[in-house]
Amino acid sequence: MLKLLSYPISVIYYLFFGLTLVVFHPIQWICFNVFGKKIHQKSVYALQFSLMRCANILGTRFSFINPHNIAPNRPLIIVANHQSLHDIYPLTWYMRKRSPKFISKIELGKGIPSVSYNLRHGGAALIDRKNPRQSLPALMKFGEFIEQNNYAAVIFPEGTRSKDGTPKPFQRKGLEILFKKIPSALVVPVSINNSWKMFRYGKFPMGLGNHLTFTVHKPIDLAIFVNKQDLIDTVESTIKNHIKN
């Protein structure tokens, strides 16, 4: 019965979701080209907030659990598990005061209203995962950009989304590069739960009534770990121990 009900509701959701992306594309262009990067960033956050309201059509709820006072004058490396595209806009909205910048596959830099424009102009790292000659320099440049501006780099080390919530092993190269290029960073592990349930039936219809939770764990000072592999092990276990299928 719930799946049957999700068909008409999903049509309404996709209508509003697509309309939101289309409307915010020229808004972003105007903000970036007329008013500059800071105003453009505000338009991006307004987009994320609007996408969350679109998800409310599906009965989706969001909880962001952060009991920690994260130092405001340090760059961050936010490390999270990855379950769906619905990880991204809530994380951007809730961490907006830290100017989160994402590492994304290069294919997303074209063809998607609002999303592609923001990835190209908002400070993201667009990488070709099949081409180390492109991806490694892009990650290095991205890390230097984060370090210089005290921004937050967001990385999903699993590499691909988990379709059933079961975490995948971390791919370590990207983290190693960020650790090297953002030496003053705090590493912030985040566990994401239930995002995969938005696609429990596939892309259509959407899952209804999901409660997406984002749990921020205690920040770790990158500098105190001499062995960065130990740090990755610590972060990976912290995140995975709080994932519920």
Side-chain angles (χ1 to χ4, degrees):
M1 178 61 72
L2 188 63
K3 183 177 181 181
L4 186 62
L5 181 62
S6 70
Y7 281 94
I9 296 177
S10 295
V11 171
I12 297 171
Y13 163 75
Y14 273 119
L15 177 63
F16 277 90
F17 181 85
L19 184 62
T20 299
L21 294 183
V22 170
V23 167
F24 270 94
H25 191 88
I27 291 175
Q28 282 195 70
W29 189 94
I30 293 170
C31 289
F32 184 84
N33 289 282
V34 177
F35 300 106
K37 293 183 179 180
K38 288 186 177 181
I39 300 301
H40 169 248
Q41 196 64 65
K42 291 183 182 297
S43 74
V44 171
Y45 297 149
L47 168 63
Q48 314 310 316
F49 180 80
S50 299
L51 292 176
M52 290 175 68
R53 301 292 72 81
C54 289
N56 292 152
I57 295 171
L58 300 166
T60 307
R61 294 177 293 133
F62 301 94
S63 291
F64 189 78
I65 305 163
N66 179 20
H68 310 288
N69 186 18
I70 302 175
N73 58 345
R74 301 275 297 274
L76 306 180
I77 301 174
I78 299 173
V79 186
N81 59 303
H82 195 20
Q83 296 186 348
S84 79
L85 66 87
H86 300 280
D87 301 333
I88 297 170
Y89 57 87
L91 193 57
T92 305
W93 170 254
Y94 286 119
M95 295 297 294
R96 63 191 182 280
K97 292 184 178 179
R98 304 311 305 268
S99 300
K101 311 296 180 184
F102 287 77
I103 298 171
S104 177
K105 58 185 180 181
I106 198 168
E107 293 86 351
L108 297 180
K110 295 181 179 180
I112 308 173
S114 286
V115 174
S116 297
Y117 189 88
N118 180 43
L119 289 175
R120 293 197 311 272
H121 299 282
L126 290 170
I127 63 170
D128 184 348
R129 290 181 291 187
K130 298 179 181 179
N131 182 5
R133 296 183 64 181
Q134 184 275 339
S135 60
L136 296 181
L139 279 176
M140 292 178 186
K141 184 178 179 180
F142 175 71
E144 292 168 356
F145 170 70
I146 297 296
E147 174 75 17
Q148 292 167 3
N149 293 280
N150 281 341
Y151 288 158
V154 183
I155 182 170
F156 300 116
E158 291 168 292
T160 58
R161 304 166 186 169
S162 172
K163 295 181 179 180
D164 61 0
T166 303
K168 300 175 182 292
F170 277 13
Q171 298 179 20
R172 302 191 167 214
K173 190 63 178 179
L175 283 170
E176 292 170 356
I177 292 174
L178 293 186
F179 290 168
K180 182 177 181 180
K181 293 297 180 178
I182 319 175
S184 64
L186 292 173
V187 180
V188 182
V190 178
S191 296
I192 301 174
N193 278 291
N194 297 327
S195 173
W196 69 272
K197 293 180 181 178
M198 301 289 284
F199 293 120
R200 67 174 72 202
Y201 307 125
K203 293 183 179 179
F204 187 85
M206 299 289 292
L208 300 182
N210 296 301
H211 183 193
L212 277 58
T213 62
F214 299 76
T215 304
V216 179
H217 305 289
K218 185 177 180 180
I220 303 169
D221 192 334
L222 174 61
I224 69 173
F225 274 83
V226 176
N227 188 328
K228 304 309 182 191
Q229 297 303 317
D230 289 344
L231 174 56
I232 295 175
D233 289 339
T234 299
V235 171
E236 184 172 8
S237 62
T238 298
I239 291 172
K240 291 182 177 180
N241 286 342
H242 290 80
I243 297 174
K244 303 173 184 179
N245 293 333

